[in-house]
Amino acid sequence: MIVLLGVAAAIIAVWLYVGFLETLIVTSILGVLYVLVFHSRWCYIAIKTAPRDLRALWCYLKILIMTRKLTKKDWTLPDIFHETVQRHPKKPCFLFQDEVWTFEEVENYSLRVSAVLKSLGVKKGDIVGLLVNNCAQMPALWLGNARLGGITPLINTNQRGKALIHSINVAKCDVLIFSDDYQSAIQDISSELSPSLKLFKFTHRPLNPSKPETNAAGDGIADLTSLLEATPPMPWTLADANGFQGKLLYIYTSGTTGLPKAAVISNSRYVFMACGLHHMRLNSSDVVYCPLPLYHTAGGVVSVGQALVFGCTVILKPKFSASQYFPDCAKYKATAAHYIGEMCRYVLATPPSPADKQHSVRVIYGNGLRPQIWTEFVTRFNIKYVTEFYGATEGNANIANTDGTPGAIGFVSRIFPKIYPIAIIKVDQETGEPVRDSQGLCQLAQAGEPGVFIGKISPNNPTREYLGYVDKNASEKKIVRDVFAHGDSAFISGDILVADEFGYLYFRDRTGDTFRWRGENVSTSEVEAVVSNIADKRDAVVYGVLVPNTEGRAGMCGIVDVDGTLDLDKLAKDLERDLPPYARPVFLRVMTSVDMTGTFKMKKTDLQKEGFDPSLVKGDKLYYLDLKKGKYLPLGPEEFQKICNGQIRL
């Protein structure tokens, strides 16, 4: 305080002696010198990151301008899409196999859907579930329902039995439309479905209204496709829905840790997610390749949204094929391509071919491109730009790597940290609970310090709103309160990230996946990446397992070996070279396959429950790491008992 008073007195004295202008110049020079001398590192970081931050700021301003305009008009997705159709009705909207659907044809199909659903009694607020394969009609089905003010849960087509019943019931479906491929799955659970649930079967075939077909199956389930072919489109009008902030879709979490939860997607949230990606590297003339399932946010919102909101042409695939990824891009003249999860690793594992660079893809975008293969991938396939982004379906915190820094999933600005209110906060490594200061507020994680990613909630801002899940109790669990000020709140992602000094963010792990062994924290995602690289890009899933009378959790790795060529001795040596002792898997489970979610994430819940107990693990081979020999040895009932009673030391 005394120093500040002295400086103020000196400035006043100079002002009185030489005048105001000269004093201002001297003060400015001294201020600059002070910053350069005492904050030189911050200046360096600011100069280095300014282009990145300013580019992102401009993108964010464009998103805010667009969402403000749509908020004022109070439009829904069908209204927004109609404006897109008016701009270029004859332009291809969706390419699917040999089918070409123009924007006008997609809208007309959605208007048929509206007409049929309205005749069946569907009204504003009704829930019309979709269990439908990837096809050009799929987005048109939910657009038609949205025009009536209905909400559409997009159900994972891989679900069966209890998981499928749960998805239908948790969304409180009034109507369920399912592809004929899933008729047996519906019949298997029909006795457990509500008697009031209306079922409609959808058959994918090119629309030909002049030759309607009738349902001849005799199963008593109405054939929606025949009804659509026999019904003319209803006249276009503004949607009778709940406006820009109203609910549009329910999209389910991937289910890596149990039964899926239905996340609420509003019209504003849909636009924000599509908009955020578009303004990074895309433009309306792009042809986008999307081999992802349309029941998930990545395919159904981020990629399909490029067509519905911005007028891009989007290529849809029945399912992902690693060997056809870039050949497809060449065939359809794609200029942008979407990836997710382990896709890039699968594509990289295909044999090199001249087709690797015989394409026009300028940018790839998605999430899950691991830093260990990033450079190799873009070099081999001649990719100019990568936009790696991050965001939870149910959350409000979305970030993107705008400049292609390998491995980064986004950034926090060091110059304008408060413009986009996201942060990494310190958490207890064991419980995942936020670490608070003496005032009861959360603490920011420093550069290089892992923490949980959060996004501040602002209910009146479409870019900051948090809609959560259909299940309000589940939604509440994702909110942390008293974050930076008493009374505020934020969405807590549950993902452990770490920032470097430039603000770049890197994914570390999921809360609960990180485990402690030998007094150290082990990141499952990092170990998985190392094991996969060592083992010729095989699928590898890592998790911690409890060992009786032992502190912490021992690392266990499930690794796929379809043809029996995995060299365990070489694997042990390579892991010793590339991983610290505490991170090396103590147990191995050699499998012929691993369960994946629809977004190419490996499921580990059941594997973790079975652990390393041979009586629970059926059909797979188990091994443990012998520390003295430095090798993986077979693990049977006898070895299991010796490990449990301490005769074999880990």
Side-chain angles (χ1 to χ4, degrees), residues 207-218:
L207 184 63
N208 187 352
S210 63
K211 297 179 181 180
E213 298 182 26
T214 58
N215 178 23

Side-chain angles (χ1 to χ4, degrees), residues 372-389:
Q372 292 83 359
I373 64 170
W374 185 300
T375 303
E376 183 182 359
F377 189 92
V378 297
T379 301
R380 174 177 163 183
F381 297 107
N382 194 31
I383 303 301
K384 189 174 183 180
Y385 301 113
V386 178
T387 301
E388 173 84 5
F389 61 84

Side-chain angles (χ1 to χ4, degrees), residues 464-624:
R464 308 302 318 146
E465 64 182 345
Y466 170 66
L467 300 175
Y469 304 107
V470 174
D471 182 342
K472 297 304 177 187
N473 290 329
S475 299
E476 188 62 29
K477 292 177 182 177
K478 285 284 191 174
I479 298 176
V480 59
R481 303 187 187 279
D482 299 333
V483 185
F484 303 123
H486 291 288
D488 69 357
S489 60
F491 164 75
I492 185 164
S493 68
D495 289 331
I496 304 292
L497 307 185
V498 64
D500 65 17
E501 66 172 336
F502 298 100
Y504 288 106
L505 302 176
Y506 300 87
F507 181 82
R508 179 66 63 86
D509 225 329
R510 288 282 301 166
T511 304
D513 281 355
T514 297
F515 59 89
R516 286 183 71 80
W517 180 245
R518 295 184 181 175
E520 300 283 353
N521 292 321
V522 180
S523 167
T524 60
S525 61
E526 291 181 5
V527 178
E528 285 167 357
V530 171
V531 173
S532 178
N533 275 0
I534 288 172
D536 300 321
K537 308 295 188 299
R538 285 178 169 87
D539 285 334
V541 55
V542 174
Y543 45 97
V545 294
L546 291 171
V547 179
N549 305 311
T550 305
E551 185 180 350
R553 291 177 181 265
M556 186 165 184
C557 177
I559 187 167
V560 173
D561 182 30
V562 178
D563 52 9
T565 58
L566 179 64
D567 187 334
L568 292 179
D569 289 346
K570 181 178 182 301
L571 178 66
K573 289 179 181 178
D574 290 345
L575 290 175
E576 184 177 0
R577 179 195 65 209
D578 292 349
L579 287 174
Y582 62 84
R584 294 170 203 155
V586 176
F587 301 107
L588 290 183
R589 177 172 178 167
V590 179
M591 311 175 291
T592 55
S593 65
V594 61
D595 288 340
M596 305 283 284
T597 70
T599 52
F600 296 89
K601 297 174 185 174
M602 290 174 281
K603 295 182 178 180
K604 60 179 70 175
T605 304
D606 290 340
L607 296 175
Q608 196 163 21
K609 287 178 181 177
E610 292 169 357
F612 63 101
D613 187 345
S615 67
L616 299 177
V617 176
K618 305 297 183 184
D620 297 335
K621 296 178 181 178
L622 295 176
Y623 300 87
Y624 72 96

